[in-house]
């Protein structure tokens, strides 16, 4: 679910000065070393916990038991108050006021560790921290105190649901996360036509955002990153008075957008040439499958099978995880995804797993870190590698401010 990362990357780039071209970014040092338990070989400063969580969750989804040291690395990233930062190079050092905690990273960690089991103390503290930083409108921003956005609010809903909470009962000032999402849903008709916005602009206006819409559909349905196909809905776009209607409206918007561009979404980075958005397309597949719009989801996953290989290879573990989530949501075999074994490719980006399980589809067919590069190298990678994962990363958030 790049879901949560690309929109935040844009926001973060704006914070630190989006005018600087990616070409000006310094190149990473070839001698750079990263924690051996970490998935991926690029600077984890802004997406370490996010990509680790997605990698572990994807492995669990396909019946693979991750390496114990990779799980322990994630656990040790937690701060004493329960929150997670995007990455802590020295987990033995106590978190302090300068530690930039991250609702997206925390929520991803909760979803992964809940799925793996045996970490109730960690996930319980994390959920407690998420509740403590909930905004008065019922939602969450990327960083504590930041304005609520669709992506962050939705990934938190996924974490709450995974941990056994009832998101509609998690309130601040009488407002639940669903109240926040409904305020970010566009009306039917016009360019927005039922989509979700990431956040209101400076004038309070909402603009349709496909990445946020994919996240908003899942959040409105109370779902996390891993979903089963939902029951087909014939709902048409109407005033979003309920989360369910908002999800149906958003799914309709995504279906129209995917149909327009031959089954995939297009990137919209300012100043960049339009190009297929593989990560957001994968997120849209998951959202549509959860909503029950399986016909379009299956068409788009077929497109991903044919076209996403080079993007995933460039983008790394979170990208492979997104594709695995899309495959799972549509009943597609991730071990034969357009001829590629996504499970094997994901595993190759990190420590060897304890066990290599099989998916249902497969059965049926037969710690510490070190120095870091700079923010501009990372932003440059996001721009070059394509939207979708940017997590990032999430990515998901340079200055860690949406």
């Amino acid at each position: 679910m790049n879901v949560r990362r690309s929109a935040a990357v844009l926001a973060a780039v704006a914070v630190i000065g989006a005018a600087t071209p990616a070409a000006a970014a310094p190149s990473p040092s070839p001698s750079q070393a990263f924690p051996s338990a970490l998935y991926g070989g690029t600077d984890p400063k802004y997406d370490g916990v996010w990509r680790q969580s997605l990698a572990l969750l994807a492995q669990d989804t396909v019946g693979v038991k991750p390496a114990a040291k990779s799980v322990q690395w994630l656990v040790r990233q937690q701060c004493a108050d329960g929150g997670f930062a995007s990455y802590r190079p020295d987990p033995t050092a106590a978190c302090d006021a300068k530690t930039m905690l991250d609702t997206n990273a925390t929520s991803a960690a909760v979803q992964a560790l809940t799925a793996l089991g045996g970490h109730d103390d960690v996930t319980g503290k994390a959920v407690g921290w998420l509740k403590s930083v909930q905004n008065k409108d019922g939602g969450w921003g990327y960083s504590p105190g930041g304005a609520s956005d669709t992506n962050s609010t939705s990934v938190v809903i996924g974490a709450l649901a995974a941990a056994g909470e009832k998101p509609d009962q998690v309130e601040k000032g009488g407002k639940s996360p669903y109240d926040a999402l409904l305020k970010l849903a566009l009306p039917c008709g016009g360019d927005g036509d039922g989509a979700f916005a990431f956040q209101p602009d400076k004038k309070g206006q909402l603009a349709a955002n496909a990445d946020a819409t994919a996240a908003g559909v899942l959040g409105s349905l109370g779902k996390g990153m891993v979903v089963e196909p939902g029951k087909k809905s014939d709902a048409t776009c109407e005033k979003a008075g309920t989360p369910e209607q908002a999800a149906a409206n958003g799914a309709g918007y995504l279906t129209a957008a995917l149909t327009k561009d031959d089954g995939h979404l297009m990137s919209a980075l300012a100043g960049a040439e339009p190009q297929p958005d593989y990560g957001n397309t994968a997120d849209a597949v998951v959202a549509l499958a959860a909503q029950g719009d399986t016909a379009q989801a299956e068409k788009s996953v077929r497109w991903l099978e044919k076209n996403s290989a080079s993007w995933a290879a460039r983008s790394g573990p979170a990208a492979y995880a997104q594709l695995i989530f899309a495959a799972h949501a549509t009943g597609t075999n991730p071990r034969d995804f357009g001829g590629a074994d996504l499970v094997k490719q994901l595993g190759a980006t990190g420590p060897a797993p304890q066990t290599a399980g099989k998916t249902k589809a497969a059965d049926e067919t037969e710690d510490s870190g070190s120095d870091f590069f700079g923010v501009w190298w990372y932003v440059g990678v996001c721009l070059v590698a394509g939207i979708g994962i940017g997590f990032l990363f999430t990515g998901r958030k340079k200055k860690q401010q949406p």
Side-chain angles (χ1 to χ4, degrees), residues 28-335:
S29 166
S31 63
Q32 180 67 47
F34 302 112
S36 63
L38 181 67
Y39 280 83
T42 57
D43 189 348
K45 188 172 184 179
Y46 300 108
D47 76 330
V49 168
W50 176 266
R51 76 191 193 208
Q52 189 83 347
S53 298
L54 265 67
L56 299 179
L57 181 58
Q59 288 187 320
D60 179 80
T61 300
V62 297
V64 171
K65 187 175 183 180
K69 68 177 184 179
S70 292
V71 179
Q72 185 60 23
W73 181 90
L74 180 59
V75 169
R76 295 183 68 209
Q77 286 289 302
Q78 187 176 42
C79 293
D81 64 2
F84 284 74
S86 296
Y87 175 68
R88 294 171 58 209
D90 181 6
T92 65
C95 300
D96 56 25
K98 295 182 180 180
T99 303
M100 302 296 289
L101 298 181
D102 171 348
T103 63
N104 288 223
T106 301
S107 297
V110 168
Q111 293 190 49
L113 294 173
T114 298
L116 293 169
H119 301 283
D120 291 352
D121 54 337
V122 177
T123 57
K125 288 176 61 178
V127 168
W129 179 79
L130 288 169
K131 290 180 177 180
S132 74
V133 297
Q134 185 176 18
N135 290 332
K136 292 182 179 180
D137 63 4
W140 285 266
Y142 174 77
S143 300
S148 296
D149 66 75
T150 296
N151 296 54
S152 298
T153 299
S154 296
V155 76
V156 173
I157 287 175
L160 294 173
E165 298 280 342
K166 295 182 178 179
D168 62 330
Q169 296 180 12
V170 177
E171 300 182 337
K172 177 65 71 71
K175 299 292 185 180
S176 79
Y178 296 123
D179 291 309
L181 288 182
L182 289 175
K183 289 181 62 178
L184 292 165
L186 279 74
C188 299
D191 294 336
D193 202 18
F196 284 85
F198 174 65
Q199 283 178 329
D201 63 20
K202 293 181 179 180
K203 296 181 179 180
Q205 300 299 307
L206 300 179
N209 181 296
D211 179 29
T213 301
V217 170
L218 286 178
S220 296
L221 293 172
K223 303 292 185 180
M225 300 180 191
V226 179
V227 307
E228 304 296 334
K231 183 179 180 180
K232 174 63 179 176
S233 171
D234 295 321
T236 57
C237 195
E238 298 178 3
K239 182 177 180 180
T242 66
E244 294 78 12
Q245 185 61 55
N249 293 352
Y253 174 86
L254 290 174
T255 295
L258 290 165
T259 301
K260 176 182 177 182
D261 288 306
D262 195 30
H264 64 277
L265 298 174
M266 296 294 291
S267 67
L269 272 182
E273 289 292 325
Q275 59 182 309
D277 192 330
Y278 305 96
N280 286 342
T281 298
D283 293 342
V285 167
V286 175
L288 290 177
Q291 174 62 22
D293 290 344
T294 55
Q296 183 59 58
E298 290 172 359
K299 290 179 182 178
S300 293
V301 86
R302 298 288 88 81
W303 182 88
L304 287 168
E305 284 188 294
K306 295 177 181 178
N307 299 282
S308 64
S310 60
W311 164 76
R314 291 193 306 270
S315 303
Y320 287 122
Q322 285 178 266
L323 294 176
I324 288 173
F325 297 150
H328 176 80
T330 56
T332 302
N333 185 359
R335 295 180 184 277

